[in-house]
C-alpha cells in the first residue's frame, strides 16, 4: 500500500514561504553604532528569547483542534524557555546514538509516534508604515516546523541548524498578535541529520524579529582576490536590494580607526557589483587575524539613511602545487572538531559559551576548528574571524545509519533527494561566505557517496569559487578539493604522504579520538604529518564531552550519558569523547595536545654550554619578542632564574640561542634541569601577559645522579624470627614484618609500632579498562583472564645476617586455564633500622599457543596506610602521564594529596599515572616514608581499589577503600586512541618479557627527602 507523504515527510519540499538565504548583517543609523557590531542597537531589532507557552503532544495529529488560532487558550499551558531543547526541559525522552537512527529506516517516512512541541508567544506590534516589513527569524529549530500568526499559516521550514526567515507583515495587526510554532521531532530531514550526538528537539537557537524597510539591502557579499605576489588584493563587492528603488551605495574601508579608502557603488535594477584594488593590506590568517571594516551607506526612498558594516579579512585560500595555501603560503592544521554542547542546556549555547571555547582553543595552540557536523551560530564565525581560527564550515548533513543497511548511498545517490542536499549547502554558504576564517566548505559527514554530493559541490562553486570544498566520504576526491580521511592509522597515512606526486593535499578531518583517558600517540602523528608536505595536519575528535549535568544525593555534580535515561539502543558513553570535560575543565588529553602541536620547538645543541635551537613552526608569525623564562633547578631547589626576549625568528626559521645562565655553577649540583617557558610578552585577545605558549626542559647530563648504597649505623635491636606453619614473622624494636607461609605474601609491615603496609606487594597485570581498551577488553577478560591472575607459591626461605634479614619467596604467576606466565622471585631485605628493600625478578614462561600480544601492565600493587595521604614525587607532573602521553609533563619535584592524584574522568577508568619517577614519599604530618626506585618507574596511588573504579559508572560513585593503593609499574601500556583510531603503538605496549623491579621503603626525616633519595641503605 502506497503511503502519502505528510508535509514533514515531503522530500520535494524545502520550505513554504521561507525567505531566500543571505549573509548576516545589521543596519544602523550612525557609523559609530555600526562599527560596534552590536546587533541589539541596530535598526528595528527585537530579540524574542524568553518564556513562551508550550504544549507537548505525542504526534502532530494529536494537536488540539484550533491550536493555531489567535484565541486558543494558553493560560493553563506550561512555560518553556526559548531557546532550549524540550528533552532538556523534561519533555519526551533523552536519547543518544552515534550511528543509529532511533526508528525504522523507511525514507522519507518517519514514525507516527512523532513527538511534537507547540510554542505560543504574544507579539506586540505598533503601527507599521507602508514601507515597513516585519521579518521573523528562527536561527535553529530541530527538526522541522510550521509557523502560524493569528491563526494563519505563514510557512514551513526544515534543516535544523541553519536559519529560517519569514515575512509576517501581512499576518499581523496593530496590538497583540499570537505566534504559534509547531515543531516536529522527526521529519524527512531527520534522515539527513544522524550526527553523533543527543537527539534533541525544539527551538534551540534564538528567535529574532526585524522591522525593516521594504526597500532595504537584502544581501551583500565580499571576496578578496590576490595579485600574483599576494601583496595587493582586489576587494570584490556584490549584493542586492529588495526593490529597484535604491540607486547607489557609498563604501568606506577602515583599518581600526584609519580610513583606508572610500568609493561609490552604482546599483542597477536592485543589484550591484564592483571591484576595488587595495594596496598592501594587512592580511588575515589564523596567527595574525587582521580585520578591516567595510561600511556601506545608502539612502532609502523615504530619505532615511542606513549604514551596514561588514568585517573583512584579506585572505586567499587555494591549492597550488598540490598544497593548501593561505595567502600563497602552505599552512598546517592543528585542529579540533567541535559540537555545540553545554552540560545544562544541551545544544543551546550562548555567546559566552562560544567565546570561552574559542579562547581556550587559542590558549592551547589550536589553530583550526571543524564545525562538526553542522553550521554553528553566526556569531561563532565572527569570533573565529576576530580571534584567528581556520574553519571548515560543515553542512547540516549526516546519514550514518544507512551504513548498517548495506546501502550507504541509499539517499545520497538518489536524485529524488538532490534538492534537499543542495538546499543545505546553499543556505550555509549564502549565510557564511563573508567570513575570512572559513577556508573550506564541507558537504557533510559520513553519508556515503553519490550524485547528490556532486550537485552540492557544483552549487557551492557557483556561489563561491574562492574557497575549497571538503568531503571525507569522497574516496577519490571527485567532488572534494582535498583528499580527506579519518582515523587513518600511521602506516597507511605514511603511504598517503609518500604518494604525493600529482595528488590533492591531505588532511585528517578526524583523528586522535579523545574518549576518556587519551588520546595517546599524538606525537607520532604530528611527526609524520610534519614530515610529508602532502599531509597538512588534522582535527582531533573532539572538543567537548557531551555529558548532561546532574547531582547526586550529596549534592555532588556528575554527568549523564547514553543509557542513563533508559534510552535504547544507545552508544553509552561514546559521547564522552572530548578534550575538555562538559564544564570545560581541560583534560590531560588537551594539555598533551597543546604540547604536541606547540608552535615553538626547542632542541638541544649543547646543554653543557647553554646552547639550544629554537624552531618557529608558525606559518606566518615572527616570534620576535616572545618571552623566554628560564629556571635552573636541582630537584626542587632553584639555582638560577632568568628571562630574555626571543630575537627575530621568521615563520619556519631556526635560530640558535645561548641561554644566559651560569652552567658551571649549576653543574655543582645534582640532577640539574633547565626549564624553559615561552610566554606572551603582552596581553592578547585570548590570553593575559605571561600566558605560557609552550615549555621544554633538559637535563644537564653531567649532573645526572647515580644512586649509591650508604651504610647507616644500626639502631634497632636484634631480630626475632617466628617461623610457623601459617606465618613467618620478622621483627625487632623498629619494625615488624608478617609474611604468609601459605600464600607467600607480605601481609603486614609495621614501622615503629604503626602499620604502614597491610598487603603486598603483589604482581598485577591488570588496569581498570580505559575507553581506548574497548576492543581488547573482551580478550583480556574472557580469553586470557588477566583480571584473575594468581601467584602460586613455590617456597619461602629466609636468611639472617648481622644487620639485615633476607626473605626470599618464589612463585609462579598465571591465570585461569593459561600455560604462559612468569616465574617470580621476591627478595625482601629488611635492615635493623626498618628499611624494607624489595628486589622482584620476573622470568617469562611462554607455553601454549594462546598468548596475549599485549598486557595492560606489569607492576606490583600494595596497600598503604591511608593516613599517609601527602604525596611528593620526583618524576613527570604535575598532571597524569602515560608513556604515549607524557611530553607535556616535565620531570620535576611535585606534591599532591592522594585524592588529588585522581583524574576525575566523566566515565571512571584507569587514571593518575606519573611516568619516569625516581622516587616518591608518603607523609602524615611530620612522619614521612621514602619509596626509592632503583630505576625510573611509573606509579599510581589512589584511595580506592581497581575493582571499585571498574564498578563505578559515574563520578562520585567510586567506593573508597580503608587504605591507599600504591601501584609501581615496571611497564604500563600506553593509552592510544583505539576507541576510534590507532591502537597503542609498539613502543608503548607491554608484552610478556623478563622484568625486574627494585625499590626501598624507609622512614625519613620530614625535610630530608631529596638527600635521602640519593641512596639506598639495604643494598
Amino acid at each position: 500500500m502506497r503511503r502519502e507523504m505528510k508535509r514533514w515527510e515531503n522530500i520535494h519540499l524545502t520550505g513554504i514561504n521561507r525567505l531566500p538565504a543571505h549573509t548576516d548583517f545589521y543596519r544602523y543609523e550612525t557609523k559609530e553604532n555600526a562599527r560596534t557590531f552590536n546587533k541589539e542597537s541596530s535598526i528595528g531589532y527585537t530579540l524574542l528569547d524568553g518564556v513562551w507557552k508550550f504544549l507537548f503532544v505525542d504526534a502532530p495529529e494529536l494537536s488540539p483542534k484550533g491550536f493555531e488560532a489567535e484565541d486558543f487558550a494558553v493560560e493553563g499551558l506550561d512555560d518553556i524557555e526559548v531557546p532550549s531543547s524540550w528533552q532538556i526541559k523534561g519533555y519526551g525522552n533523552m536519547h543518544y546514538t552515534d550511528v543509529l537512527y532511533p526508528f525504522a529506516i523507511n525514507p522519507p517516512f518517519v514514525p507516527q509516534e512523532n513527538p511534537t512541541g507547540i510554542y505560543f508567544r504574544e507579539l506586540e506590534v505598533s503601527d507599521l508604515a507602508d514601507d515597513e516589513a516585519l521579518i521573523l527569524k528562527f536561527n535553529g529549530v530541530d527538526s522541522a516546523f510550521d509557523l502560524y500568526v493569528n491563526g494563519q499559516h505563514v510557512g514551513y521550514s526544515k534543516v535544523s541548524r541553519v536559519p529560517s526567515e519569514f515575512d509576517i507583515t501581512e499576518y499581523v495587526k496593530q496590538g497583540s498578535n499570537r505566534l504559534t510554532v509547531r515543531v516536529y521531532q522527526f521529519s524527512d530531514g531527520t534522515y539527513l541529520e544522524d550526527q553523533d550526538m543527543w537527539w534533541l528537539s525544539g527551538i534551540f537557537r534564538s528567535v529574532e524579529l526585524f522591522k525593516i524597510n521594504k526597500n532595504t539591502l537584502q544581501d551583500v557579499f565580499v571576496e578578496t582576490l590576490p595579485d600574483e605576489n599576494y601583496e595587493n588584493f582586489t576587494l570584490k563587492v556584490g549584493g542586492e536590494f529588495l526593490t529597484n528603488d535604491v540607486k547607489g551605495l557609498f563604501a568606506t574601508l577602515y583599518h581600526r580607526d584609519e580610513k583606508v579608502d572610500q568609493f561609490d557603488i552604482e546599483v542597477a535594477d536592485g543589484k550591484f557589483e564592483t571591484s576595488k584594488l587595495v594596496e598592501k593590506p594587512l592580511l588575515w590568517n589564523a596567527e595574525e587575524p587582521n580585520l578591516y571594516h567595510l561600511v556601506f551607506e545608502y539612502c532609502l526612498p523615504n530619505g532615511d539613511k542606513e549604514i551596514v558594516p561588514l568585517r573583512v579579512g584579506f585572505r586567499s585560500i587555494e591549492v597550488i602545487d598540490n598544497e593548501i595555501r593561505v595567502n600563497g603560503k602552505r599552512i598546517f592544521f592543528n585542529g579540533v572538531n567541535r559540537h555545540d554542547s553545554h552540560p545544562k542546556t544541551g545544544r543551546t549555547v550562548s555567546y559566552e559559551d562560544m567565546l570561552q571555547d574559542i579562547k581556550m582553543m587559542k590558549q592551547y595552540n589550536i589553530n583550526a576548528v571543524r564545525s562538526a557536523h553542522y553550521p554553528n551560530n553566526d556569531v561563532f564565525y565572527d569570533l573565529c574571524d576576530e580571534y584567528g581560527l581556520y574553519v571548515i564550515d560543515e553542512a547540516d548533513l549526516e546519514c550514518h545509519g544507512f551504513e548498517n543497511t548495506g546501502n550507504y548511498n541509499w539517499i545520497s545517490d538518489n536524485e529524488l533527494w538532490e534538492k534537499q542536499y543542495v538546499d543545505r549547502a546553499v543556505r550555509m554558504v549564502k549565510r557564511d561566505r563573508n567570513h575570512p576564517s572559513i577556508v573550506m566548505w564541507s558537504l557533510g559527514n559520513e553519508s556515503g557517496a553519490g550524485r547528490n554530493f556532486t550537485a552540492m559541490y557544483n552549487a557551492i562553486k557557483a556561489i563561491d569559487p574562492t574557497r575549497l570544498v571538503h568531503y571525507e566520504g569522497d574516496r577519490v576526491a571527485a567532488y572534494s578539493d582535498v583528499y580527506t580521511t579519518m582515523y587513518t592509522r600511521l602506516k597507511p597515512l605514511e603511504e598517503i604522504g609518500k604518494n604525493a606526486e600529482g595528488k590533492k593535499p591531505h588532511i585528517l578531518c578526524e583523528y586522535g579520538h579523545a574518549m576518556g583517558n587519551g588520546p595517546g600517540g599524538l606525537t607520532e602523528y604530528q611527526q609524520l604529518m610534519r614530515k610529508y608536505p602532502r599531509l597538512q595536519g588534522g582535527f582531533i575528535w573532539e572538543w567537548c564531552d557531551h555529558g548532561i549535568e546532574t547531582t547526586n544525593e550529596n549534592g555532588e555534580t556528575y554527568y549523564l550519558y547514553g543509557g542513563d535515561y533508559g534510552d535504547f539502543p544507545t552508544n553509552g558513553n561514546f559521547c564522552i569523547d572530548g578534550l575538555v570535560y562538559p564544564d570545560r575543565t581541560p583534560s590531560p588529553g588537551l594539555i598533551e595536545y597543546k604540547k604536541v602541536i606547540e608552535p615553538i620547538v626547542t632542541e638541544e645543541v649543547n646543554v653543557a654550554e647553554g646552547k639550544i635551537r629554537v624552531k618557529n613552526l608558525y606559518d606566518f608569525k615572527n616570534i620576535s619578542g616572545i618571552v623566554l623564562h628560564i629556571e635552573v633547578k636541582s630537584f626542587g631547589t632553584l639555582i638560577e632564574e632568568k628571562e630574555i626576549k626571543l630575537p627575530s625568528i621568521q615563520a619556519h626559521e631556526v635560530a640558535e640561542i645561548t641561554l644566559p645562565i651560569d652552567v658551571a655553577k649549576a653543574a655543582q649540583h645534582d640532577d640539574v634541569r633547565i626549564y624553559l617557558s615561552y610566554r606572551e610578552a603582552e596581553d592578547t585577545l585570548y590570553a593575559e601577559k605571561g600566558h605560557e605558549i609552550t615549555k621544554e626542559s633538559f637535563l644537564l647530563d653531567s649532573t645526572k645522579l647515580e644512586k649509591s648504597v650508604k651504610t647507616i649505623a644500626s639502631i634497632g635491636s636484634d631480630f626475632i624470627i617466628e617461623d610457623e606453619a601459617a606465618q613467618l614473622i620478622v621483627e625487632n624494636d623498629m619494625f615488624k614484618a608478617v609474611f604468609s607461609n601459605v600464600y607467600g605474601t607480605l601481609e603486614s609491615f609495621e614501622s615503629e609500632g604503626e602499620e604502614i603496609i597491610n598487603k603486598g606487594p603483589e604482581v598485577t597485570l591488570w588496569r581498570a579498562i580505559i575507553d581506548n581498551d574497548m576492543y581488547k577488553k573482551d580478550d583480556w577478560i574472557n580469553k586470557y583472564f588477566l583480571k584473575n591472575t594468581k601467584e602460586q607459591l613455590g617456597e619461602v626461605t629466609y636468611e639472617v645476617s648481622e644487620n639485615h634479614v633476607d626473605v626470599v619467596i618464589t612463585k609462579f604467576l598465571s591465570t585461569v586455564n593459561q600455560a604462559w606466565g612468569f616465574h617470580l622471585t621476591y627478595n625482601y631485605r629488611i635492615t635493623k633500622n626498618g628499611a624494607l628493600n624489595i628486589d622482584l625478578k620476573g622470568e617469562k614462561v611462554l607455553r601454549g599457543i594462546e598468548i596475549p600480544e599485549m598486557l595492560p601492565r606489569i607492576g606490583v600493587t600494595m596497600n598503604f596506610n591511608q593516613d599517609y595521604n601527602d604525596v611528593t614525587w620526583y618524576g613527570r607532573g604535575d598532571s597524569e602521564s602515560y608513556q604515549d602521553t607524557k611530553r607535556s609533563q616535565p620531570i620535576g619535584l611535585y606534591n599532591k594529596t592522594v585524592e588529588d592524584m585522581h583524574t576525575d574522568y566523566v566515565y571512571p577508568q584507569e587514571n593518575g599515572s606519573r611516568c619516569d619517577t625516581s622516587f616518591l614519599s608518603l607523609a602524615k604530618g611530620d612522619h614521612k616514608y621514602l619509596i626509592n626506585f632503583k630505576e625510573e618507574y611509573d606509579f599510581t596511588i589512589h584511595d580506592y581499589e581497581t575493582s571499585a573504579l571498574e564498578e563505578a559508572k559515574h563520578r562520585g560513585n567510586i567506593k573508597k577503600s580503608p587504605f591507599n593503593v600504591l601501584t609501581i609499574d615496571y611497564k604500563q601500556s600506553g593509552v592510544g586512541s583505539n576507541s576510534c583510531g590507532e591502537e597503542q603503538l609498539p613502543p608503548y605496549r607491554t608484552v610478556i618479557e623478563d622484568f625486574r623491579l627494585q625499590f626501598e621503603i624507609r622512614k625519613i626525616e620530614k625535610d630530608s627527602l631529596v638527600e635521602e633519595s640519593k641512596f639506598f641503605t639495604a643494598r
Side-chain angles (χ1 to χ4, degrees):
M1 188 176 83
R2 184 176 178 85
R3 175 176 163 185
E4 184 177 341
M5 289 185 293
K6 301 168 184 175
R7 181 183 292 160
W8 49 88
E9 299 171 328
N10 190 344
I11 58 172
H12 307 296
L13 186 66
T14 58
I16 298 173
N17 291 338
R18 190 184 61 236
L19 297 176
H22 59 84
T23 59
D24 276 310
F25 60 88
Y26 302 92
R27 307 163 183 86
Y28 298 86
E29 294 179 343
T30 67
K31 285 186 179 180
E32 292 73 25
N33 274 347
R35 295 190 61 200
T36 67
F37 291 89
N38 179 5
K39 65 183 178 182
E40 293 182 1
S41 64
S42 65
I43 295 172
Y45 177 83
T46 303
L47 182 65
L48 298 185
D49 291 354
V51 177
W52 291 45
K53 287 295 184 178
F54 184 69
L55 175 63
F56 181 79
V57 294
D58 292 330
E61 294 84 354
L62 299 179
S63 303
K65 184 177 180 180
F67 71 91
E68 74 280 10
E70 180 182 2
D71 59 355
F72 181 75
V74 299
E75 293 77 15
L77 300 182
D78 294 345
D79 291 337
I80 195 169
E81 184 180 1
V82 171
S84 67
S85 298
W86 68 56
Q87 290 88 348
I88 295 289
K89 297 299 183 179
Y91 301 93
N93 300 309
M94 292 287 291
H95 195 171
Y96 164 68
T97 63
D98 168 24
V99 175
L100 304 176
Y101 291 103
F103 49 72
I105 294 176
N106 184 28
F109 303 109
V110 297
Q112 57 267 31
E113 298 87 357
N114 187 1
T116 298
I118 308 175
Y119 297 77
F120 307 88
R121 191 190 195 282
E122 302 304 313
L123 176 65
E124 289 293 325
V125 175
S126 57
D127 251 350
L128 283 176
D130 290 342
D131 61 356
E132 288 181 328
L134 283 181
I135 308 300
L136 188 59
K137 179 178 181 179
F138 296 87
N139 283 280
V141 181
D142 195 325
S143 70
F145 68 100
D146 278 292
L147 170 65
Y148 303 85
V149 174
N150 296 329
Q152 300 179 77
H153 185 245
V154 174
Y156 167 80
S157 187
K158 55 189 171 186
V159 186
S160 297
R161 284 160 282 273
V162 292
S164 301
E165 293 184 350
F166 299 92
D167 185 343
I168 62 171
T169 311
E170 302 302 317
Y171 302 92
V172 298
K173 62 183 188 301
Q174 184 175 354
S176 181
N177 295 265
R178 169 69 58 81
L179 302 181
T180 304
V181 185
R182 186 165 71 167
V183 181
Y184 316 108
Q185 177 164 350
F186 302 128
S187 67
D188 60 294
T190 304
Y191 285 102
L192 300 174
E193 296 177 4
D194 186 27
Q195 293 95 336
D196 174 9
M197 58 190 185
W198 293 97
W199 292 94
L200 299 177
S201 316
I203 305 175
F204 69 96
R205 288 182 182 167
S206 289
V207 183
E208 299 168 308
L209 183 69
F210 298 86
K211 181 191 287 188
I212 64 169
N213 188 284
K214 291 180 179 180
N215 304 289
T216 192
L217 186 66
Q218 190 272 331
D219 198 7
V220 59
F221 57 88
V222 296
E223 295 174 0
T224 59
L225 308 175
D227 66 13
E228 61 182 8
N229 298 316
Y230 300 92
E231 290 184 354
N232 304 319
F233 274 66
T234 297
L235 176 64
K236 184 178 178 182
V237 180
E240 59 183 308
F241 285 83
L242 290 172
T243 68
N244 300 335
D245 293 338
V246 176
K247 303 304 180 184
L249 303 91
F250 183 72
T252 306
L253 182 66
Y254 295 90
H255 181 250
R256 296 177 182 159
D257 292 326
E258 180 183 349
K259 189 181 296 183
V260 176
D261 202 351
Q262 52 189 15
F263 49 94
D264 290 303
I265 303 174
E266 182 180 347
V267 180
D269 297 325
K271 297 182 180 181
F272 58 92
E273 185 173 314
T274 192
S275 296
K276 186 73 175 176
L277 181 67
V278 180
E279 296 184 352
K280 296 183 178 179
L282 295 174
L283 305 186
W284 189 98
N285 59 71
E287 297 158 15
E288 298 168 325
N290 295 297
L291 287 175
Y292 289 70
H293 290 174
L294 182 59
V295 180
F296 299 97
E297 302 173 59
Y298 53 87
C299 284
L300 297 166
N302 66 4
D304 291 344
K305 180 191 287 186
E306 290 187 342
I307 300 170
V308 172
L310 296 181
R311 295 181 179 91
V312 176
F314 289 91
R315 188 269 303 132
S316 67
I317 175 74
E318 306 159 285
V319 173
I320 301 176
D321 294 335
N322 303 320
E323 293 180 342
I324 302 169
R325 296 187 184 181
V326 166
N327 304 330
K329 294 186 178 182
R330 179 183 183 274
I331 62 169
F332 190 89
F333 295 107
N334 290 313
V336 70
N337 288 273
R338 177 190 173 277
H339 269 286
D340 282 338
S341 180
H342 189 278
K344 292 183 179 179
T345 58
R347 257 190 311 280
T348 299
V349 294
S350 67
Y351 172 87
E352 291 74 21
D353 297 330
M354 291 181 275
L355 178 59
Q356 180 184 16
D357 282 354
I358 286 173
K359 282 186 173 182
M360 286 187 69
M361 289 176 189
K362 294 290 289 186
Q363 290 166 4
Y364 284 84
N365 296 328
I366 291 167
N367 72 354
V369 61
R370 176 178 174 225
S371 66
H373 298 292
Y374 42 79
N376 284 199
N377 262 300
D378 56 343
V379 71
F380 182 80
Y381 305 101
D382 291 335
L383 292 169
C384 291
D385 295 342
E386 183 180 3
Y387 283 80
L389 286 169
Y390 299 120
V391 177
I392 297 179
D393 196 10
E394 190 147 275
D396 192 358
L397 201 159
E398 180 167 338
C399 313
H400 205 164
F402 285 101
E403 184 177 24
N404 293 351
T405 69
N407 185 5
Y408 208 171
N409 308 333
W410 187 331
I411 60 175
S412 293
D413 201 34
N414 184 335
E415 64 182 344
L416 295 177
W417 287 79
E418 179 180 315
K419 183 189 295 186
Q420 301 298 325
Y421 280 65
V422 171
D423 178 62
R424 289 166 184 265
V426 167
R427 288 164 68 188
M428 170 182 70
V429 173
K430 284 195 170 183
R431 187 194 69 166
D432 294 340
R433 58 179 163 167
N434 284 342
H435 293 282
S437 58
I438 297 173
V439 295
M440 291 190 211
W441 305 112
S442 173
L443 304 182
N445 185 66
E446 294 176 322
S447 298
R451 56 174 291 130
N452 295 337
F453 291 111
T454 301
M456 292 176 77
Y457 180 90
N458 292 335
I460 288 175
K461 289 295 186 178
I463 302 167
D464 176 26
T466 70
R467 289 182 176 87
L468 308 182
V469 174
H470 151 280
Y471 179 60
E472 180 270 336
D474 181 8
R475 297 290 186 253
V476 295
Y479 36 80
S480 179
D481 296 320
V482 296
Y483 177 46
T484 308
T485 60
M486 58 170 65
Y487 305 111
T488 309
R489 287 7 181 215
L490 283 169
K491 188 174 180 179
L493 183 61
E494 184 165 26
E495 291 303 313
I496 294 171
K498 289 178 178 178
N499 185 22
E501 186 174 353
K503 301 296 179 66
K504 293 181 179 180
H506 175 272
I507 61 171
L508 276 170
C509 65
E510 295 178 22
Y511 82 110
H513 199 253
M515 187 175 180
N517 188 341
L522 296 182
T523 292
E524 285 75 12
Y525 269 94
Q526 189 76 359
Q527 290 170 342
L528 186 64
M529 291 188 290
R530 288 287 188 183
K531 180 179 179 181
Y532 295 101
R534 188 186 184 192
L535 307 180
Q536 292 193 243
F539 295 75
I540 294 291
W541 186 267
E542 64 174 308
W543 175 244
C544 185
D545 290 340
H546 296 216
I548 304 299
E549 183 176 315
T550 188
T551 55
N552 62 21
E553 61 276 8
N554 299 320
E556 299 166 325
T557 296
Y558 69 102
Y559 300 98
L560 302 176
Y561 46 79
D564 284 334
Y565 295 93
D567 44 317
F568 180 84
T570 182
N571 292 95
N573 68 314
F574 208 69
C575 59
I576 307 298
D577 56 358
L579 291 171
V580 297
Y581 300 144
D583 64 356
R584 272 43 181 186
T585 299
S587 75
L590 179 59
I591 296 168
E592 180 72 3
Y593 189 45
K594 176 180 180 178
K595 173 63 179 173
V596 168
I597 62 175
E598 61 186 355
I600 305 172
V601 173
T602 315
E603 298 174 344
E604 297 184 48
V605 176
N606 188 333
V607 176
E609 297 177 359
K611 293 182 178 179
I612 60 171
R613 182 182 299 111
V614 178
K615 291 184 176 181
N616 178 2
L617 291 188
Y618 285 113
D619 294 321
F620 297 92
K621 186 177 178 180
N622 190 317
I623 56 175
S624 173
I626 294 293
V627 173
L628 175 55
H629 185 84
I630 309 159
E631 290 184 350
V632 183
K633 288 184 176 181
S634 170
F635 298 99
T637 301
L638 181 65
I639 301 170
E640 190 174 8
E641 187 174 18
K642 289 288 180 67
E643 207 166 73
I644 62 172
K645 290 193 173 182
L646 293 183
S648 175
I649 308 175
Q650 295 286 353
H652 295 292
E653 288 192 354
V654 179
E656 286 193 6
I657 295 175
T658 300
L659 301 173
I661 57 175
D662 189 341
V663 178
K665 176 185 174 184
Q668 299 172 20
H669 298 261
D670 290 326
D671 224 70
V672 173
R673 295 181 184 270
I674 301 169
Y675 298 91
L676 307 176
S677 173
Y678 295 89
R679 301 175 180 178
E680 296 286 0
E682 304 294 340
D683 289 347
T684 68
L685 275 177
Y686 56 85
E688 295 181 352
K689 176 182 178 180
H691 164 74
E692 185 174 79
I693 301 166
T694 190
K695 60 188 176 184
E696 193 54 87
S697 64
F698 300 105
L699 173 68
L700 189 57
D701 288 334
S702 63
T703 68
K704 183 173 176 59
L705 179 69
E706 296 295 334
K707 296 181 182 181
S708 61
V709 178
K710 184 175 181 179
T711 301
I712 304 293
S714 297
I715 58 175
S717 61
D718 291 341
F719 298 112
I720 300 172
I721 309 293
E722 296 181 30
D723 189 3
E724 299 176 347
Q727 289 183 328
L728 170 65
I729 300 174
V730 182
E731 64 181 317
N732 70 1
D733 59 355
M734 298 293 292
F735 76 91
K736 180 179 181 181
V738 179
F739 296 90
S740 170
N741 278 330
V742 177
Y743 301 107
T745 56
L746 176 63
E747 293 185 330
S748 174
F749 185 81
E750 296 179 8
S751 176
E752 298 182 3
E754 182 181 32
E755 186 175 59
I756 302 302
I757 300 170
N758 69 17
K759 184 183 179 184
E762 289 184 294
V763 171
T764 178
L765 306 180
W766 188 248
R767 69 180 180 196
I769 290 294
I770 64 172
D771 290 316
N772 287 313
D773 292 334
M774 65 170 58
Y775 299 113
K776 302 176 186 69
K777 68 177 182 180
D778 188 60
D779 278 355
W780 282 356
I781 295 171
N782 299 313
K783 181 177 181 180
Y784 301 115
F785 305 103
L786 297 182
K787 286 182 73 171
N788 304 98
T789 53
K790 297 290 184 183
E791 296 180 345
Q792 298 177 3
L793 178 61
E795 62 176 352
V796 179
T797 61
Y798 66 91
E799 183 177 338
V800 181
S801 300
E802 181 178 353
N803 292 311
H804 64 263
V805 174
D806 287 332
V807 178
V808 179
I809 302 173
T810 60
K811 295 182 174 183
F812 176 69
L813 175 80
S814 191
T815 185
V816 176
N817 206 55
Q818 306 294 301
W820 61 270
F822 295 91
H823 287 306
L824 305 177
T825 302
Y826 289 88
N827 192 322
Y828 295 89
R829 176 168 290 183
I830 311 172
T831 70
K832 281 187 174 180
N833 294 331
L836 174 62
N837 187 290
I838 300 166
D839 184 355
L840 168 62
K841 295 178 182 177
E843 296 180 6
K844 66 182 178 183
V845 177
L846 297 178
R847 298 182 301 214
I849 57 173
E850 295 289 350
I851 298 173
E853 295 180 357
M854 174 179 160
L855 301 173
R857 67 171 7 127
I858 298 175
V860 294
T861 184
M862 64 190 82
N863 297 342
F864 225 86
N865 187 321
Q866 68 175 350
D867 293 335
Y868 287 80
N869 65 353
D870 185 84
V871 189
T872 302
W873 75 98
Y874 187 62
R876 293 193 180 271
D878 69 344
S879 184
E880 73 174 23
S881 57
Y882 292 77
Q883 288 299 325
D884 58 354
T885 62
K886 69 181 184 179
R887 284 189 58 204
S888 60
Q889 303 302 309
I891 290 177
L893 193 66
Y894 302 99
N895 176 262
K896 286 182 180 287
T897 65
V898 169
E899 185 177 16
D900 288 339
M901 298 293 280
H902 171 76
T903 302
D904 207 13
Y905 290 109
V906 170
Y907 187 92
Q909 55 199 277
E910 158 65 35
N911 70 86
S913 175
R914 266 64 180 181
C915 286
D916 304 337
T917 301
S918 298
F919 62 85
L920 69 119
S921 70
L922 298 174
K924 176 187 70 172
D926 292 338
H927 299 275
K928 180 176 289 188
Y929 283 87
L930 166 68
I931 304 166
N932 205 10
F933 299 156
K934 182 72 172 178
E935 307 289 343
E936 289 183 350
Y937 302 132
D938 305 348
F939 82 97
T940 60
I941 186 165
H942 294 302
D943 54 3
Y944 50 78
E945 295 183 274
T946 298
S947 58
L949 187 60
E950 292 184 302
E951 289 168 5
K953 302 306 177 187
H954 296 93
R955 287 181 175 182
N957 286 354
I958 305 171
K959 182 181 178 182
K960 302 296 186 180
S961 60
F963 42 76
N964 291 327
V965 181
L966 172 65
T967 304
I968 302 170
D969 286 315
Y970 164 74
K971 284 184 179 178
Q972 184 181 173
S973 288
V975 296
S977 62
N978 194 219
S979 54
C980 193
E982 184 71 77
E983 293 187 82
Q984 292 88 343
L985 298 172
Y988 311 123
R989 296 181 185 180
T990 302
V991 299
I992 299 174
E993 64 183 18
D994 295 344
F995 68 90
R996 191 174 187 180
L997 276 167
Q998 297 170 277
F999 55 94
E1000 183 172 284
I1001 303 172
R1002 68 178 188 267
K1003 191 170 187 179
I1004 61 173
E1005 296 295 325
K1006 178 184 178 183
D1007 299 321
S1008 63
L1009 174 61
V1010 170
E1011 288 306 311
E1012 291 273 354
S1013 72
K1014 297 177 181 180
F1015 59 86
F1016 299 92
T1017 63
R1019 55 186 163 192

